[in-house]
Amino acid sequence: MAALIEAAKAPDYPAEIVGVLSNRAAAAGLETAAAAGIATASLAQSKFPSRDMFEDTMTQILESWEVDYVCLAGFMRILGEDFVNRWLGRMVNIHPSLLPAYKGLHTHERALADGVSEHGCTVHFVTPGLDEGPAILQARIPVFAGDTPDTLAERLLVEEHRIYPEALRLLASGQAKL
């Protein structure tokens, strides 16, 4: 998220970050966004009687900000089909693997357990299936002998911060479409 905010500061960047919404009130990204003068909101799903009500409230917030695109970053909730379809083609996520490999959680651990020689990250369109949307961009890094999930995650984070702003640029300029 911070990488997207930083990229959007460039005068020729085709997107503006208008709001940051978190499902955790203590998320550090809310403070980062507020410090940059960006609107923020947090919603705890546990405070809503149903996922539909939670997602309807998220939609109301996003629409009040007049967003064109939704960029997920660390939003660790599986979103319902109605919400996903509402934003289909306009919602993207970054995932710490070379999708379609290692959908879901614990990607670094699973890659290391499989003994792969390279790992990576993917910015993809969000579709109703978990981590199944088409890729916009991917970045690859080598896996070194002695890598741990933490060292792999640390090296991969550099690539995540590089490709997510580029993927949003492609989306906002019309060069990437679902």
Side-chain angles (χ1 to χ4, degrees):
M1 184 220 51
L4 296 176
I5 291 172
E6 190 59 34
K9 290 178 182 178
D12 62 341
Y13 196 75
E16 174 188 1
I17 310 303
V18 297
V20 172
L21 173 62
S22 177
N23 61 329
R24 294 184 309 114
L30 294 171
E31 190 174 310
T32 300
I38 297 169
T40 63
S42 66
L43 295 174
Q45 186 170 344
S46 62
K47 306 261 186 203
F48 291 84
S50 71
R51 179 169 73 179
D52 286 343
M53 291 181 76
F54 170 70
E55 292 177 355
D56 287 346
T57 303
M58 284 196 315
T59 295
Q60 290 170 12
I61 292 168
L62 295 170
E63 288 177 345
S64 77
W65 291 337
E66 299 179 357
V67 302
D68 293 320
Y69 304 102
V70 176
C71 299
L72 302 175
F75 197 86
M76 301 300 289
R77 292 277 180 210
I78 294 175
L79 298 167
E81 190 170 341
D82 288 343
F83 183 84
V84 171
N85 285 331
R86 164 71 178 84
W87 299 99
L88 195 63
R90 300 184 304 135
M91 183 164 47
V92 295
N93 190 22
I94 187 152
H95 185 75
S97 80
L98 295 169
L99 291 174
Y102 309 114
K103 297 175 183 178
L105 301 175
H106 310 293
T107 62
H108 310 309
E109 292 88 342
R110 291 162 48 208
L112 290 170
D114 285 350
V116 298
S117 62
E118 67 178 5
H119 190 45
C121 55
T122 305
V123 178
H124 65 95
F125 286 102
V126 176
T127 59
L130 179 65
D131 297 330
E132 290 182 356
I136 298 170
L137 285 176
Q138 291 186 312
R140 298 172 184 276
I141 62 169
V143 176
F144 299 129
D147 261 335
T148 66
D150 289 340
T151 61
L152 204 52
E154 184 178 323
R155 284 202 331 277
L156 191 57
L157 189 61
V158 173
E159 294 302 313
E160 291 174 353
H161 289 176
R162 181 181 66 78
I163 71 166
Y164 210 170
E166 178 60 16
L168 178 56
R169 184 189 68 73
L170 293 171
L171 183 62
S173 67
Q175 296 175 62
K177 293 181 182 178
L178 181 63

